[in-house]
Structure formats: C-alpha cells, structure tokens
Amino acid sequence: MSEFQARLNDLLDEFELFDDWEERYRYIIDLGKDLAPLKPEEKTEATKVLGCASQVWLVMDKGPEGILRFRGESDAFIVKGLIAVLIRLLDGLAYSEIQDFSIRDTLAKLGLNEALSSQRTNGLMSMVERLKKATA
C-alpha cells in the first residue's frame, strides 16, 4: 500500500464516524483551525493560488529526494480545512504520488463531491494543479 493510500484510508476511517456531509464539513473546518498561520511575508502574489473564490496561499519547499513539503492558508474557514486535508494527504510525498493524485476521485471517496460547491471544487483543483506544477 502506498503512503498516500494509507493516509487516505485513515481519513476515510475518520469520516465514517460522521453520519452526513454536514458533520464532515464541520470536521474539515475544525482541521483547518489547527493549521499554523503563514507569516505575512509568505502571503505574496507568488504564493497566491489563482482560481479560488477566497484568498489562498500555498508555500512549497522541494525537499530532498523528490519530496514536496507545503503549507497553506486561506481567509475562508472551509477552504482552510480543505488545505488541511490536502496537507494530510499529500505533504511529504514523492513527486510521482502527487502527480498521480486525483482530487475528484478523492472527493468522491470522502463523500464530499456533491457537498462542495462548484466554486470550492474548482478552487481545490487549482490548489492541486499548483502542487502538481511544482512537482513536474
């Protein structure tokens, strides 16, 4: 089992504790509250993710041996939570695993594909594209 699949399975186990998508939504917001804020100087045009309805910044560091480390922040609670989900799933993975990642498949597995607005989904896709571009 890949590292990504193990992380996804852990998240799926956590999501099974909730009866509906509204509870999952609240859980995602809670995950975002645990993220450390970015420093003001890290919130630049270079780190800003375009295509998101809210303000989103991703700071990425290419680590040793083809590993991507990243952090992020948003001015919207649910988006900050979605960043936390991406970090749990993808931070510290090999470039190849990030390249193979499908946000649509993952949202469907988590039961969020119909719960998120198209704007939120598009913003999430923009974040994933930014990560994939960094690992290309």
Side-chain angles (χ1 to χ4, degrees):
M1 177 184 312
S2 71
E3 176 67 23
F4 168 76
Q5 191 59 52
R7 292 178 184 190
L8 179 58
N9 288 346
D10 287 345
L11 199 56
L12 286 169
D13 288 345
E14 291 172 27
F15 272 41
E16 283 182 15
L17 300 173
F18 305 109
D19 294 326
D20 58 32
W21 67 265
E22 287 184 30
E23 290 179 357
R24 291 176 182 163
Y25 212 73
R26 281 193 291 274
Y27 181 65
I28 290 171
I29 290 171
D30 286 343
L31 290 175
K33 291 177 182 176
D34 292 336
L35 286 181
L38 296 178
K39 297 174 187 166
E41 60 269 18
E42 292 177 309
K43 295 180 182 179
T44 66
E45 286 302 312
T47 61
K48 191 172 185 179
V49 178
L50 302 177
C52 296
S54 54
Q55 303 262 7
V56 176
W57 299 269
L58 290 178
V59 175
M60 295 172 272
D61 300 304
K62 293 183 178 185
E65 301 174 21
I67 301 295
L68 183 70
R69 305 299 316 216
F70 68 97
R71 299 173 290 117
E73 189 173 345
S74 175
D75 61 350
F77 290 121
I78 186 63
V79 177
K80 196 170 181 180
L82 292 170
I83 293 168
V85 168
L86 286 179
I87 289 171
R88 282 195 54 189
L89 292 173
L90 302 175
D91 182 55
L93 292 184
Y95 292 178
S96 60
E97 286 190 274
I98 292 171
Q99 287 294 317
D100 292 341
F101 176 71
S102 167
I103 188 59
R104 289 201 184 276
D105 290 348
T106 303
L107 289 175
K109 289 176 184 172
L110 293 172
L112 294 171
N113 53 330
E114 295 174 9
L116 294 177
S117 69
S118 59
Q119 271 189 321
R120 294 282 184 239
T121 301
N122 289 339
L124 199 50
M125 290 173 64
S126 294
M127 287 182 251
V128 171
E129 285 306 310
R130 175 69 72 93
L131 296 172
K132 287 185 176 195
K133 186 181 269 189
T135 61

